[in-house]
Amino acid sequence: MKPHEEKGGPEKPPGTLPKWQKTLRGTEAAAAPGGGFVCVGSVQTRYLECGKQGCHCHDSPANRHGPYHYWTRKVKGRTIAVLLSEPEVGIYQEWIQNNRRLDRLVREMRQLSARALTIQTGRTRP
């Protein structure tokens, strides 16, 4: 029996699975540094007109009140918005960015794992 064959299993090309394992370890390592806390949603900034007639905010969009920062996310299919203070904006933006980075890394790890499964089992994904 060849060293890259397992008893009863499909023949695997030598050296290819370790390549994907090394790539996966690099992806896992990229997730660790600075990962920190995560938060789902987005931060939006709005400038609004008030309800007072004759207020300067009605003259042009450049004169609107604001900025007002909101953290928005979906909860049970509905969009929820929370007004943020200036100091909170940076925290939410950082945590949302951490979440997006983590999502990208998980997608990449799934793709690498699918390739490794193809090598390990000889099956192709449907």
Side-chain angles (χ1 to χ4, degrees), residues 29-91:
F37 293 104
V38 295
C39 182
V40 176
S42 63
V43 173
Q44 299 177 346
T45 302
R46 299 180 71 192
Y47 294 84
L48 306 172
E49 291 182 3
C50 68
K52 296 179 184 176
Q53 291 193 2
C55 182
H56 72 283
C57 69
H58 297 284
D59 297 339
S60 88
N63 293 335
R64 291 185 179 159
H65 299 285
Y68 298 105
H69 305 286
Y70 294 90
W71 168 45
T72 60
R73 68 198 185 287
K74 290 280 190 179
V75 177
K76 296 182 183 178
R78 300 186 71 183
T79 302
I80 305 296
V82 176
L83 184 62
L84 302 175
S85 66
E86 281 294 328
E88 292 174 324
V89 172
I91 295 168

Side-chain angles (χ1 to χ4, degrees), residues 8 11 15 23 26 56 79 93 116 125:
E11 186 174 322
T23 305
H56 72 283
T79 302
Q93 287 175 331
R125 293 177 63 188

Side-chain angles (χ1 to χ4, degrees), residues 114 117-118 121-126:
L117 274 172
T118 300
T121 65
R123 293 181 184 229
T124 57
R125 293 177 63 188

Side-chain angles (χ1 to χ4, degrees), residues 2-6 9-21 115-123:
K2 295 178 185 173
H4 60 273
E5 289 180 343
E6 290 184 19
E11 186 174 322
K12 295 175 214 80
T16 54
L17 188 59
K19 170 189 161 193
W20 293 112
Q21 289 170 329
R115 291 178 187 156
L117 274 172
T118 300
I119 292 167
Q120 191 73 7
T121 65
R123 293 181 184 229

